[in-house]
Amino acid sequence: MDTFDNANPFQYAPAPESRDIARLKPSYGIYLNGEFRDGRGEAVKTINPATEEPLAEIAEADATDVDDAVSAARAAYQGTWSRTTPAERSKYLFRIARAIQERGRELAVLETLDNGKPISESRDVDIPTAAAHFFYYAGWADKLGYAGFGPEPRPIGVAGQIIPWNFPLLMAAWKIAPALATGNTVVLKPAETTPLTAITLAEIIAECDLPAGVVNILPGGPSVGQALVEHPGVDKIAFTGSTAVGKQIQKSVAVSGKRLSLELGGKAANIVFDDAPIDQAVEGIVNGIFFNQGHVCCAGSRLLVQESVHEEVIAALQERLQTLRMGDPLDKNTDIGAINSAAQLARVRALADSGDAEGAIRWSPECHLPDKGFWFPPTIFTGVSQANRIAREEIFGPVLSVLTFRTPAEAVEKANNTPYGLSAGIWTEKGSRILWMANRLRAGVIWANTFNRFDPTSPFGGYQESGFGREGGRHGLEAYLAQ
Amino acid sequence: MTITSVASGTSGLSDVTSDDASLRRFLHGLPGVDQVGAEGRAVALATRSIKTTAKAWAIDAAIGMVDLTTLEGSDTPGKVRSLCAKAVRPDPSDPSTPPVAAVCVYPDLVATAVQALRGSTVQIASVATAFPSGRASLQTKLADVRDAVLAGATEIDMVIDRGAFLAGRYLQVFDEISAVKQACGTAHLKVILETGELVTLDSVRRASWLALLAGGDFVKTSTGKISPAATPPVALIMLQAVRDFAARTGEVRGVKLAGGIRTTKEAVRYLVMVNEVAGPRWLSPHSFRFGASTLLNDLLQQRHKLTTGAYDGSDYVSID
């Protein structure tokens, strides 16, 4: 990669963000009924995936903490939150949004340390978008009667929310903001490998004087998630994560009367036609699969490129990948950070190896991987067939599978040939073709001449095994309103 | 990106300029530019953080790429001589400061610049072809060019006929650039597209290719008399054009950004763009220039700050 091109006189000097900004504490606990205390579960260390050094110890929750948190959330729902006027709810949300902005640098560095994503992404995407979600839903809180869900929409009650490790704070914002705006109370479990920004969000929420019990945050592992899902006092489950766990959750809540929304995996097709704006399409391909190391459920992991421009697009893509900078996630010039965990790295490696075994051609730019930490170079597989595992299974890593097509109909057929259906991208200068394709693609989100754009005003969610329910936008309110 | 709309090889490129229809087909066959995407890429490139050693290198590189320019009706031999002195030795207090690439003046002041720059490496650039509007007959434009070359200009900055380009008379623009290139002789030709009047990025891409096909050694954004002048998205598209032209023909042509670039921060961001879009081989005065007047002083101030740790303020650099 560029960093190792010694012939280039313009070598970017290291520009690391200071880790002191994160104000790391030696240990963190849970936030329950307005109080910070140690959970009664195990104490586990959360590590920096870029270096494998321990960052802090987390006193995780256990099932009794889940019990207490659900009771606290129920009491808060009946006691204070349902009597808080919509305008007051709105004020709390605005306050949280502002506080996230004010502590934006701290949250960005903390997120990068805990998750491994580049600081440029946590600073420019995760944290501002998290604040934007609170701002957006703050605006809805006192206008719910005009959202199209009846004149007096009612909250559901206590929402149990389980979020993944790829966008820790942003996913917390996606879950908490609409739940509070509609008058629900919340018990949220962050991912085990990335609890730090969620606990810091709890601090922010406490500083904003949100009444005790309205938001409870319980770091923990799968058993805590299971206890939350199975708890009879929970009225609604919102889960973002893998399709396998999503299926278990759906079984578990069946006939329980609980409402459920799932945002699961994906294997999105990013479709490039021969009349596409090629330079921008290349950017979109890079952003689609290498943003956040490919740890994105809606990642454009399958590139469908029209056969007549295949060589041209791949050559341009390879040239572009040479300029990506991989390394210290805290360096402001880093484009590709670390894989979030050893387990995820093993999964990415295994799937990439299956690509070799099944005859696809692997390519990566020349790059030096750090000795410590979890790293995987940006990788392109060409010559991939629709039957290969790397064309069917979600890799959730920086690995792109390239397939070709000849006609728009074939592109649609291949794009839809997946049990998933979260997102898709279309690259063409022809507006009518964008509409023709969008009508036929089975995906919840379709981007035209762009990819991986997230905005709180826009609903997000999937088809089929990518889940159901929408988050964001006016539609995102529905998941937290009684039917 | 490589261009596949015509047969590969330079012979294919000479075919595309054989008549108006072929030229139009070629230019309109270039991949389109998605404006939102191009602007987004330009913004993303501007987030690179260039510090310490990288910044020091970039500042010196930028100084060496400046075409120090004065293009005023009120220009006098005295003004040009003082500018030339500055060009050769931008910071008399620090002899390690590199000289700029060129001095850029109107044709009637070329002789003055030649005299003042004798013995230095600084090139003499002259605007020509009825600069800045380009509204004159071809004969007049060519005479303008010959005058400047005869007076000793080593680089000619011509303007294209934007009216003809926007009316779709591409071959006329092509022929005019070719004729000017002929008139230049050994002088290097920079072709000013005046992107502020072309407006769309698709037009910028087509005009860049047109100028490169016609033999322009550089494509240049602006006269400096029209706003907007050089902008990051326009620079991005022009750098892609020279990159793709080199991939296609093996010839490295240059890009000159002119107008509105006043600060070191902007200049460094453009160098990042050159590095990551066109490639490191373009990081040289032979293939990248800044047309500027006030930029040089900011570069000198930032250079001084980097070497001494103290920021001197504008009283410590000369006003030209």
Side-chain angles (χ1 to χ4, degrees), chain A residues 31 34-36 96 200-211:
Chain A
Y31 179 62
E35 283 173 17
F36 290 91
I96 295 168
T200 308
L201 178 62
E203 284 176 23
I204 287 171
I205 285 169
E207 281 163 15
C208 291
D209 288 330
L210 200 71

Side-chain angles (χ1 to χ4, degrees), chain B residues 86-175:
Chain B
K86 174 95 170 237
V88 176
R89 190 178 286 194
D91 183 356
S93 70
D94 183 351
S96 71
T97 313
V100 303
V103 160
C104 183
V105 294
Y106 271 114
D108 61 320
L109 290 162
V110 167
T112 310
V114 168
Q115 220 170 18
L117 291 172
R118 189 155 286 147
S120 80
T121 57
V122 178
Q123 302 294 304
I124 299 123
S126 171
V127 295
T129 70
F131 180 95
S133 69
R135 302 241 72 92
S137 71
L138 181 58
Q139 288 88 329
T140 309
K141 290 178 184 179
L142 293 177
D144 200 13
V145 173
R146 285 190 202 102
D147 266 1
V149 173
L150 213 60
T154 55
E155 301 180 350
I156 296 295
D157 290 25
M158 72 169 288
V159 290
I160 65 164
D161 185 338
R162 282 87 75 187
F165 180 88
L166 291 169
R169 299 196 304 272
Y170 299 134
L171 197 61
Q172 183 188 331
V173 181
F174 175 87
D175 287 341

Side-chain angles (χ1 to χ4, degrees), chain B residues 83-319:
Chain B
L83 201 70
C84 290
K86 174 95 170 237
V88 176
R89 190 178 286 194
D91 183 356
S93 70
D94 183 351
S96 71
T97 313
V100 303
V103 160
C104 183
V105 294
Y106 271 114
D108 61 320
L109 290 162
V110 167
T112 310
V114 168
Q115 220 170 18
L117 291 172
R118 189 155 286 147
S120 80
T121 57
V122 178
Q123 302 294 304
I124 299 123
S126 171
V127 295
T129 70
F131 180 95
S133 69
R135 302 241 72 92
S137 71
L138 181 58
Q139 288 88 329
T140 309
K141 290 178 184 179
L142 293 177
D144 200 13
V145 173
R146 285 190 202 102
D147 266 1
V149 173
L150 213 60
T154 55
E155 301 180 350
I156 296 295
D157 290 25
M158 72 169 288
V159 290
I160 65 164
D161 185 338
R162 282 87 75 187
F165 180 88
L166 291 169
R169 299 196 304 272
Y170 299 134
L171 197 61
Q172 183 188 331
V173 181
F174 175 87
D175 287 341
E176 202 167 285
I177 300 169
S178 306
V180 171
K181 173 73 180 167
Q182 287 273 310
C184 281
T186 56
H188 277 244
L189 176 61
K190 304 189 201 112
V191 183
I192 301 174
L193 309 179
E194 196 65 296
T195 53
E197 291 184 341
L198 302 184
V199 181
T200 69
L201 295 177
D202 282 318
S203 287
V204 171
R205 173 168 284 176
R206 287 173 193 147
S208 300
W209 271 89
L210 185 57
L212 296 170
L213 288 168
D217 297 296
F218 271 71
V219 282
K220 174 175 167 183
T221 55
S222 328
T223 58
K225 308 290 183 197
I226 294 283
S227 182
T231 64
V234 161
L236 179 80
I237 299 307
M238 290 169 70
L239 287 164
Q240 288 170 346
V242 294
R243 174 199 67 191
D244 294 341
F245 187 82
R248 183 66 192 273
T249 63
E251 291 175 37
V252 175
R253 307 282 181 84
V255 171
K256 176 173 169 182
L257 308 180
I261 303 169
R262 293 191 176 83
T263 65
T264 301
K265 192 178 224 171
E266 292 167 272
V268 171
R269 283 177 177 171
Y270 280 119
L271 291 182
V272 165
M273 190 183 274
V274 172
N275 186 34
E276 298 197 30
V277 175
R281 68 195 281 203
W282 270 268
L283 287 168
S284 141
H286 298 296
S287 38
F288 189 71
R289 297 280 180 88
F290 292 108
S293 43
T294 51
L295 170 64
L296 181 59
N297 273 350
D298 193 59
L299 287 165
L300 294 174
Q301 282 172 274
Q302 294 298 332
R303 190 179 194 277
H304 206 247
K305 160 121 195 313
L306 216 55
T307 46
T308 65
Y311 187 76
D312 287 335
S314 56
D315 285 346
Y316 290 83
V317 287
S318 59
I319 297 168

